[in-house]
Amino acid sequence: MKYLSTVFMVIGLIVMVFAASENNVLANADSSKRDNKVLSIAHRGAAGYAPENTMAAFEKAFEMKAEMLELDVQMSKDGELVVIHDTTVDRTTDGAGKVGNLTYEELKRLDAGSHFSKEFTGEKIPTLGEVLDEYRGKMGIVIEMKSPSLYPGIEQKIADTLKNRNMDSPTNSEIIVQSFDHESLKAFHSILPEVPVGVLLDFNPDGVSDQQLTEFSSFAEYVNPNKTMIDKNLVERIHKFGMETYPWDVRELESVKSLIKAGVDGVITIYPDYVMKH
């Protein structure tokens, strides 16, 4: 009996050591994930240097070695997924009218570059497919569903576009889909649960509650607030709920510095080279 007791004690010690080792591996893996350099995510491409959401802006971001592109997707009148931020074409092209009221052929004829500089005259509104085909394997891509309530079925359209290119099971966060419309995000998540999604948050003076973070963590891998909401405490809380954070609309070098100090995982900025400078 004494011999058996000794055997059981040894087995118990082995189990405890193994469990501790496994916990250390998990802790180290999580720490390693957090210790990775902060990702540079080009907001609408390198939109500080080229017209936003155009191939010129995306190419500039690639040249600057940004890790990811961020772009906005809407839908034309005839169902084409097009890359443009505003729900109208007035600000960023030489045309006028709502994106959803124009066919792809009409959108394709617009000049989306000269408003930024004569140097970019003739730049076009690209399709989501064109951007994916050009930059898949070169950079990660963050797809924002812009005003999805205006475009019923856009979640399925985006999912189909990814599936048709075998990009529906990305690794290393090659594709992220995000939106301010959290119900739309849930709908997309139900279609393609393998593709990570990010919750976009505009500035809210009340901050983000644990109740909200609990809800977000049930379907999202990222919480991406306006940069003005970020502090070390919020970043730590987001991490505690198993998510990462890429704050957005960063336009000043000093903002990048403070965000990195707060512990963010990536920075969505129109100046992707700012992140590399830190």
Short mmCIF file of all heavy atoms in Angstrom, two decimals, residues 83-141:
data_model
loop_
_atom_site.label_atom_id
_atom_site.label_comp_id
_atom_site.label_asym_id
_atom_site.label_seq_id
_atom_site.Cartn_x
_atom_site.Cartn_y
_atom_site.Cartn_z
N VAL A 83 -15.29 50.11 -53.78
CA VAL A 83 -14.50 50.61 -52.67
C VAL A 83 -14.58 52.14 -52.64
O VAL A 83 -13.98 52.83 -53.46
CB VAL A 83 -13.04 50.14 -52.81
CG1 VAL A 83 -12.19 50.70 -51.67
CG2 VAL A 83 -12.97 48.62 -52.81
N ILE A 84 -15.35 52.65 -51.69
CA ILE A 84 -15.54 54.10 -51.54
C ILE A 84 -16.06 54.36 -50.14
O ILE A 84 -16.81 53.55 -49.58
CB ILE A 84 -16.51 54.65 -52.62
CG1 ILE A 84 -16.60 56.17 -52.54
CG2 ILE A 84 -17.89 53.99 -52.53
CD1 ILE A 84 -17.35 56.81 -53.73
N HIS A 85 -15.68 55.49 -49.56
CA HIS A 85 -16.04 55.78 -48.18
C HIS A 85 -17.42 56.40 -48.02
O HIS A 85 -18.25 55.91 -47.26
CB HIS A 85 -14.99 56.71 -47.54
CG HIS A 85 -15.31 57.10 -46.13
ND1 HIS A 85 -16.06 58.20 -45.81
CD2 HIS A 85 -14.99 56.50 -44.96
CE1 HIS A 85 -16.19 58.28 -44.50
NE2 HIS A 85 -15.55 57.27 -43.96
N ASP A 86 -17.67 57.52 -48.70
CA ASP A 86 -18.94 58.23 -48.52
C ASP A 86 -20.07 57.50 -49.22
O ASP A 86 -19.86 56.78 -50.21
CB ASP A 86 -18.84 59.64 -49.09
CG ASP A 86 -17.80 60.50 -48.36
OD1 ASP A 86 -17.10 59.97 -47.47
OD2 ASP A 86 -17.67 61.69 -48.70
N THR A 87 -21.29 57.72 -48.75
CA THR A 87 -22.45 57.13 -49.42
C THR A 87 -22.83 57.88 -50.69
O THR A 87 -23.69 57.45 -51.43
CB THR A 87 -23.66 57.07 -48.47
OG1 THR A 87 -23.94 58.39 -47.98
CG2 THR A 87 -23.37 56.14 -47.30
N THR A 88 -22.16 59.02 -50.93
CA THR A 88 -22.29 59.73 -52.20
C THR A 88 -20.90 59.84 -52.84
O THR A 88 -19.88 59.72 -52.14
CB THR A 88 -22.88 61.15 -52.04
OG1 THR A 88 -21.91 61.98 -51.38
CG2 THR A 88 -24.17 61.11 -51.24
N VAL A 89 -20.87 60.13 -54.13
CA VAL A 89 -19.59 60.25 -54.83
C VAL A 89 -19.09 61.69 -54.88
O VAL A 89 -18.02 61.95 -55.41
CB VAL A 89 -19.70 59.68 -56.27
CG1 VAL A 89 -20.12 58.22 -56.25
CG2 VAL A 89 -20.68 60.51 -57.11
N ASP A 90 -19.86 62.61 -54.33
CA ASP A 90 -19.59 64.04 -54.50
C ASP A 90 -18.21 64.48 -54.00
O ASP A 90 -17.52 65.25 -54.69
CB ASP A 90 -20.67 64.86 -53.78
CG ASP A 90 -22.07 64.56 -54.28
OD1 ASP A 90 -22.42 63.37 -54.42
OD2 ASP A 90 -22.83 65.51 -54.53
N ARG A 91 -17.80 64.06 -52.83
CA ARG A 91 -16.57 64.57 -52.22
C ARG A 91 -15.31 64.03 -52.91
O ARG A 91 -14.32 64.76 -53.06
CB ARG A 91 -16.52 64.22 -50.72
CG ARG A 91 -15.25 64.71 -50.01
CD ARG A 91 -15.28 64.39 -48.52
NE ARG A 91 -15.27 62.95 -48.28
CZ ARG A 91 -14.16 62.21 -48.18
NH1 ARG A 91 -12.96 62.77 -48.32
NH2 ARG A 91 -14.24 60.91 -47.94
N THR A 92 -15.32 62.76 -53.31
CA THR A 92 -14.07 62.13 -53.75
C THR A 92 -14.00 61.87 -55.26
O THR A 92 -13.04 61.24 -55.72
CB THR A 92 -13.87 60.79 -53.01
OG1 THR A 92 -15.00 59.94 -53.25
CG2 THR A 92 -13.70 61.02 -51.52
N THR A 93 -14.99 62.32 -56.02
CA THR A 93 -14.93 62.14 -57.47
C THR A 93 -15.43 63.41 -58.17
O THR A 93 -15.87 64.36 -57.52
CB THR A 93 -15.81 60.96 -57.96
OG1 THR A 93 -17.18 61.35 -57.99
CG2 THR A 93 -15.63 59.73 -57.07
N ASP A 94 -15.41 63.36 -59.50
CA ASP A 94 -15.94 64.49 -60.27
C ASP A 94 -17.42 64.30 -60.59
O ASP A 94 -17.98 65.03 -61.42
CB ASP A 94 -15.14 64.67 -61.56
CG ASP A 94 -15.17 63.44 -62.45
OD1 ASP A 94 -15.63 62.37 -61.99
OD2 ASP A 94 -14.72 63.54 -63.61
N GLY A 95 -18.06 63.35 -59.94
CA GLY A 95 -19.48 63.08 -60.17
C GLY A 95 -20.34 63.54 -59.02
O GLY A 95 -19.88 64.23 -58.10
N ALA A 96 -21.61 63.17 -59.08
CA ALA A 96 -22.56 63.51 -58.03
C ALA A 96 -23.59 62.40 -57.92
O ALA A 96 -23.88 61.71 -58.90
CB ALA A 96 -23.25 64.84 -58.34
N GLY A 97 -24.13 62.24 -56.71
CA GLY A 97 -25.19 61.26 -56.51
C GLY A 97 -24.79 60.18 -55.51
O GLY A 97 -23.64 60.08 -55.08
N LYS A 98 -25.79 59.39 -55.14
CA LYS A 98 -25.57 58.32 -54.18
C LYS A 98 -24.93 57.11 -54.85
O LYS A 98 -25.28 56.76 -55.99
CB LYS A 98 -26.89 57.92 -53.53
CG LYS A 98 -27.51 59.01 -52.66
CD LYS A 98 -28.79 58.54 -52.01
CE LYS A 98 -29.39 59.63 -51.11
NZ LYS A 98 -30.67 59.18 -50.49
N VAL A 99 -24.02 56.48 -54.14
CA VAL A 99 -23.35 55.28 -54.68
C VAL A 99 -24.38 54.24 -55.09
O VAL A 99 -24.28 53.65 -56.17
CB VAL A 99 -22.39 54.69 -53.62
CG1 VAL A 99 -21.80 53.37 -54.11
CG2 VAL A 99 -21.28 55.68 -53.27
N GLY A 100 -25.37 54.02 -54.25
CA GLY A 100 -26.37 53.00 -54.51
C GLY A 100 -27.34 53.31 -55.64
O GLY A 100 -28.10 52.44 -56.06
N ASN A 101 -27.30 54.54 -56.13
CA ASN A 101 -28.17 54.92 -57.25
C ASN A 101 -27.44 54.89 -58.59
O ASN A 101 -28.03 55.18 -59.63
CB ASN A 101 -28.73 56.33 -57.04
CG ASN A 101 -29.76 56.38 -55.93
OD1 ASN A 101 -30.27 55.35 -55.50
ND2 ASN A 101 -30.06 57.58 -55.45
N LEU A 102 -26.15 54.55 -58.56
CA LEU A 102 -25.34 54.53 -59.77
C LEU A 102 -24.90 53.11 -60.11
O LEU A 102 -24.55 52.34 -59.21
CB LEU A 102 -24.10 55.42 -59.59
CG LEU A 102 -24.38 56.90 -59.33
CD1 LEU A 102 -23.11 57.61 -58.88
CD2 LEU A 102 -24.96 57.58 -60.57
N THR A 103 -24.92 52.78 -61.38
CA THR A 103 -24.45 51.46 -61.81
C THR A 103 -22.93 51.41 -61.74
O THR A 103 -22.27 52.45 -61.67
CB THR A 103 -24.89 51.14 -63.24
OG1 THR A 103 -24.22 52.04 -64.14
CG2 THR A 103 -26.40 51.26 -63.39
N TYR A 104 -22.39 50.20 -61.80
CA TYR A 104 -20.94 50.07 -61.78
C TYR A 104 -20.31 50.78 -62.97
O TYR A 104 -19.28 51.44 -62.83
CB TYR A 104 -20.53 48.60 -61.75
CG TYR A 104 -19.06 48.40 -61.92
CD1 TYR A 104 -18.16 48.99 -61.03
CD2 TYR A 104 -18.55 47.67 -62.98
CE1 TYR A 104 -16.79 48.84 -61.20
CE2 TYR A 104 -17.18 47.51 -63.15
CZ TYR A 104 -16.31 48.09 -62.25
OH TYR A 104 -14.96 47.94 -62.42
N GLU A 105 -20.93 50.68 -64.14
CA GLU A 105 -20.39 51.35 -65.33
C GLU A 105 -20.35 52.86 -65.12
O GLU A 105 -19.40 53.53 -65.54
CB GLU A 105 -21.23 51.01 -66.56
CG GLU A 105 -21.00 49.60 -67.09
CD GLU A 105 -19.55 49.38 -67.51
OE1 GLU A 105 -18.95 50.30 -68.11
OE2 GLU A 105 -19.01 48.29 -67.23
N GLU A 106 -21.37 53.41 -64.49
CA GLU A 106 -21.39 54.85 -64.21
C GLU A 106 -20.31 55.21 -63.20
O GLU A 106 -19.63 56.24 -63.35
CB GLU A 106 -22.77 55.26 -63.70
CG GLU A 106 -23.85 55.20 -64.78
CD GLU A 106 -25.25 55.39 -64.23
OE1 GLU A 106 -25.53 54.94 -63.10
OE2 GLU A 106 -26.08 56.00 -64.93
N LEU A 107 -20.14 54.40 -62.18
CA LEU A 107 -19.12 54.66 -61.16
C LEU A 107 -17.72 54.56 -61.75
O LEU A 107 -16.83 55.33 -61.41
CB LEU A 107 -19.27 53.68 -60.00
CG LEU A 107 -20.52 53.86 -59.12
CD1 LEU A 107 -20.70 52.67 -58.20
CD2 LEU A 107 -20.43 55.15 -58.30
N LYS A 108 -17.55 53.59 -62.65
CA LYS A 108 -16.23 53.35 -63.23
C LYS A 108 -15.75 54.50 -64.10
O LYS A 108 -14.55 54.70 -64.29
CB LYS A 108 -16.29 52.05 -64.05
CG LYS A 108 -14.94 51.52 -64.48
CD LYS A 108 -15.04 50.09 -64.99
CE LYS A 108 -15.90 50.00 -66.24
NZ LYS A 108 -15.81 48.64 -66.87
N ARG A 109 -16.68 55.29 -64.60
CA ARG A 109 -16.31 56.41 -65.48
C ARG A 109 -15.86 57.65 -64.70
O ARG A 109 -15.35 58.61 -65.28
CB ARG A 109 -17.49 56.77 -66.39
CG ARG A 109 -17.77 55.73 -67.47
CD ARG A 109 -18.63 56.32 -68.57
NE ARG A 109 -19.99 56.62 -68.12
CZ ARG A 109 -21.02 55.80 -68.23
NH1 ARG A 109 -20.85 54.58 -68.77
NH2 ARG A 109 -22.22 56.16 -67.83
N LEU A 110 -16.05 57.64 -63.38
CA LEU A 110 -15.74 58.82 -62.58
C LEU A 110 -14.24 58.93 -62.30
O LEU A 110 -13.53 57.92 -62.21
CB LEU A 110 -16.51 58.76 -61.25
CG LEU A 110 -18.03 58.73 -61.35
CD1 LEU A 110 -18.64 58.62 -59.96
CD2 LEU A 110 -18.57 59.95 -62.09
N ASP A 111 -13.79 60.17 -62.15
CA ASP A 111 -12.39 60.44 -61.80
C ASP A 111 -12.32 60.55 -60.27
O ASP A 111 -12.87 61.48 -59.67
CB ASP A 111 -11.95 61.75 -62.45
CG ASP A 111 -10.54 62.17 -62.09
OD1 ASP A 111 -9.95 61.57 -61.17
OD2 ASP A 111 -10.02 63.11 -62.71
N ALA A 112 -11.61 59.61 -59.64
CA ALA A 112 -11.52 59.58 -58.18
C ALA A 112 -10.16 60.06 -57.68
O ALA A 112 -9.82 59.84 -56.52
CB ALA A 112 -11.80 58.17 -57.67
N GLY A 113 -9.38 60.72 -58.57
CA GLY A 113 -8.05 61.13 -58.16
C GLY A 113 -7.75 62.60 -58.19
O GLY A 113 -6.99 63.12 -57.37
N SER A 114 -8.37 63.33 -59.14
CA SER A 114 -7.99 64.73 -59.34
C SER A 114 -8.38 65.62 -58.17
O SER A 114 -7.80 66.70 -57.98
CB SER A 114 -8.60 65.27 -60.64
OG SER A 114 -10.01 65.15 -60.62
N HIS A 115 -9.36 65.24 -57.36
CA HIS A 115 -9.74 66.04 -56.18
C HIS A 115 -8.58 66.12 -55.21
O HIS A 115 -8.45 67.08 -54.45
CB HIS A 115 -10.97 65.43 -55.48
CG HIS A 115 -10.66 64.18 -54.71
ND1 HIS A 115 -10.35 64.17 -53.38
CD2 HIS A 115 -10.61 62.89 -55.12
CE1 HIS A 115 -10.12 62.93 -52.98
NE2 HIS A 115 -10.28 62.13 -54.02
N PHE A 116 -7.70 65.11 -55.23
CA PHE A 116 -6.55 65.07 -54.32
C PHE A 116 -5.38 65.84 -54.91
O PHE A 116 -4.74 66.65 -54.24
CB PHE A 116 -6.16 63.61 -54.05
CG PHE A 116 -5.10 63.44 -53.02
CD1 PHE A 116 -5.42 63.29 -51.68
CD2 PHE A 116 -3.75 63.41 -53.37
CE1 PHE A 116 -4.44 63.13 -50.72
CE2 PHE A 116 -2.76 63.26 -52.42
CZ PHE A 116 -3.10 63.12 -51.09
N SER A 117 -5.10 65.57 -56.19
CA SER A 117 -3.99 66.23 -56.88
C SER A 117 -4.08 65.92 -58.37
O SER A 117 -4.54 64.84 -58.76
CB SER A 117 -2.65 65.73 -56.32
OG SER A 117 -1.59 66.09 -57.17
N LYS A 118 -3.65 66.85 -59.18
CA LYS A 118 -3.65 66.62 -60.63
C LYS A 118 -2.81 65.40 -61.00
O LYS A 118 -3.05 64.74 -62.01
CB LYS A 118 -3.11 67.85 -61.36
CG LYS A 118 -4.06 69.04 -61.33
CD LYS A 118 -3.48 70.22 -62.13
CE LYS A 118 -4.44 71.41 -62.12
NZ LYS A 118 -3.88 72.57 -62.86
N GLU A 119 -1.85 65.11 -60.16
CA GLU A 119 -0.97 63.96 -60.39
C GLU A 119 -1.76 62.66 -60.48
O GLU A 119 -1.35 61.72 -61.16
CB GLU A 119 0.04 63.88 -59.24
CG GLU A 119 0.92 62.65 -59.24
CD GLU A 119 1.72 62.53 -57.95
OE1 GLU A 119 1.67 63.46 -57.12
OE2 GLU A 119 2.38 61.49 -57.79
N PHE A 120 -2.92 62.62 -59.80
CA PHE A 120 -3.71 61.38 -59.74
C PHE A 120 -4.96 61.43 -60.61
O PHE A 120 -5.87 60.62 -60.44
CB PHE A 120 -4.09 61.09 -58.29
CG PHE A 120 -2.90 60.82 -57.40
CD1 PHE A 120 -2.44 61.81 -56.52
CD2 PHE A 120 -2.23 59.62 -57.46
CE1 PHE A 120 -1.35 61.58 -55.71
CE2 PHE A 120 -1.13 59.38 -56.65
CZ PHE A 120 -0.69 60.36 -55.76
N THR A 121 -5.01 62.38 -61.53
CA THR A 121 -6.15 62.47 -62.43
C THR A 121 -6.35 61.14 -63.17
O THR A 121 -5.39 60.56 -63.68
CB THR A 121 -5.93 63.59 -63.47
OG1 THR A 121 -5.81 64.84 -62.77
CG2 THR A 121 -7.11 63.67 -64.44
N GLY A 122 -7.59 60.70 -63.17
CA GLY A 122 -7.90 59.45 -63.87
C GLY A 122 -7.97 58.22 -62.99
O GLY A 122 -8.36 57.14 -63.46
N GLU A 123 -7.62 58.36 -61.70
CA GLU A 123 -7.77 57.22 -60.79
C GLU A 123 -9.26 56.84 -60.70
O GLU A 123 -10.13 57.72 -60.68
CB GLU A 123 -7.26 57.58 -59.40
CG GLU A 123 -5.77 57.49 -59.24
CD GLU A 123 -5.23 56.07 -59.34
OE1 GLU A 123 -5.87 55.13 -58.83
OE2 GLU A 123 -4.17 55.90 -59.96
N LYS A 124 -9.51 55.54 -60.63
CA LYS A 124 -10.89 55.04 -60.64
C LYS A 124 -11.33 54.51 -59.28
O LYS A 124 -10.50 54.25 -58.41
CB LYS A 124 -11.03 53.92 -61.68
CG LYS A 124 -10.65 54.34 -63.10
CD LYS A 124 -11.50 55.49 -63.59
CE LYS A 124 -11.14 55.90 -65.01
NZ LYS A 124 -11.87 57.13 -65.44
N ILE A 125 -12.62 54.36 -59.13
CA ILE A 125 -13.18 53.67 -57.96
C ILE A 125 -12.98 52.17 -58.22
O ILE A 125 -13.54 51.62 -59.16
CB ILE A 125 -14.68 53.97 -57.79
CG1 ILE A 125 -14.90 55.45 -57.51
CG2 ILE A 125 -15.26 53.12 -56.66
CD1 ILE A 125 -16.37 55.87 -57.50
N PRO A 126 -12.17 51.49 -57.40
CA PRO A 126 -11.96 50.06 -57.65
C PRO A 126 -13.08 49.21 -57.08
O PRO A 126 -13.88 49.67 -56.25
CB PRO A 126 -10.64 49.79 -56.93
CG PRO A 126 -10.60 50.79 -55.83
CD PRO A 126 -11.35 52.01 -56.32
N THR A 127 -13.13 47.97 -57.53
CA THR A 127 -14.04 47.00 -56.93
C THR A 127 -13.31 46.27 -55.82
O THR A 127 -12.07 46.23 -55.78
CB THR A 127 -14.54 45.97 -57.96
OG1 THR A 127 -13.43 45.17 -58.39
CG2 THR A 127 -15.20 46.65 -59.15
N LEU A 128 -14.05 45.68 -54.91
CA LEU A 128 -13.44 44.88 -53.85
C LEU A 128 -12.62 43.74 -54.47
O LEU A 128 -11.49 43.47 -54.03
CB LEU A 128 -14.50 44.32 -52.91
CG LEU A 128 -13.97 43.38 -51.81
CD1 LEU A 128 -12.96 44.09 -50.92
CD2 LEU A 128 -15.13 42.81 -51.00
N GLY A 129 -13.17 43.11 -55.49
CA GLY A 129 -12.47 42.00 -56.14
C GLY A 129 -11.12 42.42 -56.70
O GLY A 129 -10.14 41.67 -56.60
N GLU A 130 -11.06 43.60 -57.29
CA GLU A 130 -9.80 44.08 -57.86
C GLU A 130 -8.74 44.25 -56.78
O GLU A 130 -7.57 43.90 -56.97
CB GLU A 130 -10.03 45.41 -58.59
CG GLU A 130 -10.77 45.27 -59.91
CD GLU A 130 -11.18 46.61 -60.50
OE1 GLU A 130 -11.20 47.62 -59.77
OE2 GLU A 130 -11.48 46.63 -61.71
N VAL A 131 -9.14 44.80 -55.64
CA VAL A 131 -8.19 45.01 -54.55
C VAL A 131 -7.73 43.67 -53.98
O VAL A 131 -6.53 43.45 -53.74
CB VAL A 131 -8.79 45.89 -53.45
CG1 VAL A 131 -7.78 46.10 -52.33
CG2 VAL A 131 -9.23 47.24 -54.01
N LEU A 132 -8.66 42.75 -53.77
CA LEU A 132 -8.29 41.44 -53.25
C LEU A 132 -7.33 40.73 -54.19
O LEU A 132 -6.33 40.13 -53.75
CB LEU A 132 -9.55 40.58 -53.03
CG LEU A 132 -10.53 41.05 -51.96
CD1 LEU A 132 -11.74 40.13 -51.91
CD2 LEU A 132 -9.86 41.11 -50.58
N ASP A 133 -7.62 40.77 -55.48
CA ASP A 133 -6.78 40.08 -56.46
C ASP A 133 -5.38 40.66 -56.51
O ASP A 133 -4.40 39.94 -56.72
CB ASP A 133 -7.41 40.13 -57.85
CG ASP A 133 -8.67 39.29 -57.95
OD1 ASP A 133 -8.86 38.40 -57.09
OD2 ASP A 133 -9.49 39.53 -58.87
N GLU A 134 -5.27 41.96 -56.31
CA GLU A 134 -3.96 42.62 -56.40
C GLU A 134 -3.12 42.43 -55.15
O GLU A 134 -1.89 42.27 -55.23
CB GLU A 134 -4.15 44.11 -56.68
CG GLU A 134 -2.84 44.90 -56.80
CD GLU A 134 -1.98 44.46 -57.98
OE1 GLU A 134 -2.55 44.01 -59.00
OE2 GLU A 134 -0.75 44.58 -57.87
N TYR A 135 -3.77 42.44 -53.96
CA TYR A 135 -2.98 42.50 -52.74
C TYR A 135 -3.07 41.26 -51.86
O TYR A 135 -2.37 41.19 -50.84
CB TYR A 135 -3.35 43.76 -51.94
CG TYR A 135 -2.92 45.00 -52.67
CD1 TYR A 135 -3.84 45.76 -53.39
CD2 TYR A 135 -1.59 45.38 -52.71
CE1 TYR A 135 -3.44 46.88 -54.11
CE2 TYR A 135 -1.18 46.50 -53.42
CZ TYR A 135 -2.11 47.24 -54.12
OH TYR A 135 -1.70 48.35 -54.84
N ARG A 136 -3.87 40.28 -52.24
CA ARG A 136 -3.91 39.05 -51.45
C ARG A 136 -2.53 38.41 -51.44
O ARG A 136 -1.83 38.36 -52.46
CB ARG A 136 -4.92 38.08 -52.03
CG ARG A 136 -4.63 37.65 -53.45
CD ARG A 136 -5.70 36.75 -53.99
NE ARG A 136 -5.81 35.52 -53.22
CZ ARG A 136 -6.65 34.55 -53.53
NH1 ARG A 136 -7.46 34.65 -54.57
NH2 ARG A 136 -6.69 33.45 -52.79
N GLY A 137 -2.09 37.99 -50.27
CA GLY A 137 -0.77 37.40 -50.16
C GLY A 137 0.34 38.42 -49.98
O GLY A 137 1.45 38.08 -49.58
N LYS A 138 0.05 39.68 -50.29
CA LYS A 138 1.05 40.75 -50.12
C LYS A 138 0.85 41.49 -48.80
O LYS A 138 1.81 41.87 -48.13
CB LYS A 138 0.95 41.76 -51.26
CG LYS A 138 1.28 41.22 -52.64
CD LYS A 138 1.13 42.34 -53.68
CE LYS A 138 1.42 41.87 -55.08
NZ LYS A 138 1.24 42.97 -56.07
N MET A 139 -0.43 41.72 -48.46
CA MET A 139 -0.77 42.49 -47.27
C MET A 139 -2.08 41.94 -46.70
O MET A 139 -2.89 41.37 -47.42
CB MET A 139 -0.99 43.98 -47.60
CG MET A 139 0.11 44.62 -48.40
SD MET A 139 -0.34 46.31 -48.91
CE MET A 139 -0.26 47.16 -47.34
N GLY A 140 -2.28 42.16 -45.40
CA GLY A 140 -3.59 41.89 -44.85
C GLY A 140 -4.57 42.95 -45.31
O GLY A 140 -4.17 44.05 -45.71
N ILE A 141 -5.86 42.62 -45.28
CA ILE A 141 -6.88 43.57 -45.76
C ILE A 141 -8.01 43.65 -44.73
O ILE A 141 -8.60 42.63 -44.36
CB ILE A 141 -7.44 43.14 -47.13
CG1 ILE A 141 -6.29 43.09 -48.16
CG2 ILE A 141 -8.53 44.11 -47.60
CD1 ILE A 141 -6.70 42.54 -49.51
#
